[in-house]
């Protein structure tokens, strides 16, 4: 095979493994085709002829969002599966409402860094460094920002006697979410195993599993 043919084969092979969302870098946009399967790089592009202005618009953050009753917070989020226009752009958003006495549980976003902005009220925000096991906390007021690095366990709790509202942006169109409490107690790991790996006594484990909907 001629050198030119080998070079062409190498280029085509390389392009074939590029993530679909990388197309957003080389064209105006790549609206997610949610009818197709997601790839490690995102969704394939919706045909340009089928794209409308609605693909670039989302109104889901105007309401309080889903209530997490144990923690007294409401979350509204927009990721690529809800807002296909985000595909390949490396951004997403979240709105949180916190009443006095509320808190977000320890959680992480394995796929993206979070930038939190306070719209109303005030909150205490912090994260735990995985490398140093050091806690960084700050009280945030209206107009303040705090960056929460990707993958680090972090939290917020209300500060003062007024309801707080925050907006967060993420460096990914789908940053992922793992809530520590649900990871530990909303699963079907047997209670005796949980007792061994957490040092919590079995009655505590049973209580927490019942609270968070776990089994075993």
């Amino acid at each position: 095979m001629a050198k030119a043919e080998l070079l062409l084969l190498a280029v085509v092979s390389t392009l074939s493994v590029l993530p679909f969302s990388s197309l957003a870098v080389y064209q105006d946009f790549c609206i997610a085709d949610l009818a197709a399967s997601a790839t490690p790089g995102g969704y394939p592009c919706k045909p340009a002829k089928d794209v409308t202005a609605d693909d670039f618009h989302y109104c889901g953050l105007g309401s309080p969002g889903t209530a997490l009753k144990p923690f007294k917070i409401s979350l509204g989020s927009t990721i690529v599966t809800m807002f296909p226009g985000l595909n390949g752009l490396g951004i997403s958003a979240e709105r949180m409402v916190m009443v006095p006495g509320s808190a977000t549980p320890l959680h992480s976003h394995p796929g993206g860094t979070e930038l939190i902005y306070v719209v109303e009220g005030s909150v205490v925000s912090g994260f735990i460094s995985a490398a140093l096991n050091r806690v960084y906390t700050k009280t945030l007021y209206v107009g303040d920002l705090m960056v929460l690095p990707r993958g680090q366990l972090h939290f917020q709790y209300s500060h003062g006697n007024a309801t707080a509202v925050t907006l967060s942006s993420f460096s990914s169109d789908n940053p992922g979410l793992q809530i520590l409490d649900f990871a530990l107690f909303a699963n079907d790991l047997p209670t005796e195993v949980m007792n061994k790996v957490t040092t919590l006594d079995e009655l505590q484990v049973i209580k927490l599993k019942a609270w968070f909907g776990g089994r075993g």
Side-chain angles (χ1 to χ4, degrees):
M1 187 179 290
K3 288 185 178 180
E5 292 174 318
L6 287 171
L7 179 60
L8 178 61
L9 178 61
V11 170
V12 171
S13 299
T14 301
L15 289 175
S16 70
V17 299
L18 284 175
F20 285 105
S21 63
S22 68
L23 291 173
V25 177
Y26 302 106
Q27 58 194 47
D28 290 344
F29 48 79
C30 177
I31 305 300
D33 180 1
L34 298 180
S37 298
T39 74
Y43 285 88
C45 302
K46 182 178 180 179
K49 64 182 178 59
D50 298 329
V51 173
T52 70
D54 288 339
D55 291 312
F56 303 97
H57 172 258
Y58 183 80
C59 60
L61 296 188
S63 59
T66 302
L68 295 180
K69 292 182 179 180
F71 306 105
K72 303 179 184 177
I73 62 173
S74 295
L75 287 175
S77 61
T78 171
I79 58 177
V80 66
T81 53
M82 304 172 183
F83 188 5
L86 299 178
N87 191 45
L89 299 180
I91 54 172
S92 55
E94 177 184 88
R95 178 178 184 265
M96 179 171 62
V97 179
M98 305 184 73
V99 299
S102 63
T104 64
L106 278 169
H107 64 284
S108 65
H109 304 288
T113 292
E114 178 177 357
L115 187 65
I116 184 171
Y117 172 77
V118 179
V119 179
E120 298 178 20
S122 59
V123 301
V124 176
S125 180
F127 71 92
I128 304 170
S129 165
L132 303 174
N133 206 37
R134 180 177 175 182
V135 182
Y136 300 87
T137 60
K138 197 73 179 175
T139 302
L140 307 179
Y141 299 92
V142 173
D144 286 354
L145 291 163
M146 185 172 185
V147 65
L148 304 166
R150 181 179 67 181
Q152 306 300 296
L153 284 169
H154 58 279
F155 60 89
Q156 288 84 36
Y157 59 87
S158 62
H159 178 261
N161 298 315
T163 295
V165 178
T166 66
L167 287 175
S168 290
S169 61
F170 297 89
S171 63
S172 169
D173 58 21
N174 192 356
L177 171 66
Q178 184 171 42
I179 298 174
L180 186 60
D181 294 297
F182 288 102
L184 287 172
F185 304 113
N187 58 53
D188 58 0
L189 198 63
T191 296
E192 59 268 24
V193 176
M194 290 294 298
N195 167 246
K196 295 177 186 298
V197 300
T198 65
T199 71
L200 294 171
D201 67 50
E202 291 194 6
L203 289 178
Q204 288 176 305
V205 173
I206 291 170
K207 178 182 177 180
L208 289 165
K209 277 183 171 287
W211 185 272
F212 291 104
R215 303 182 305 281

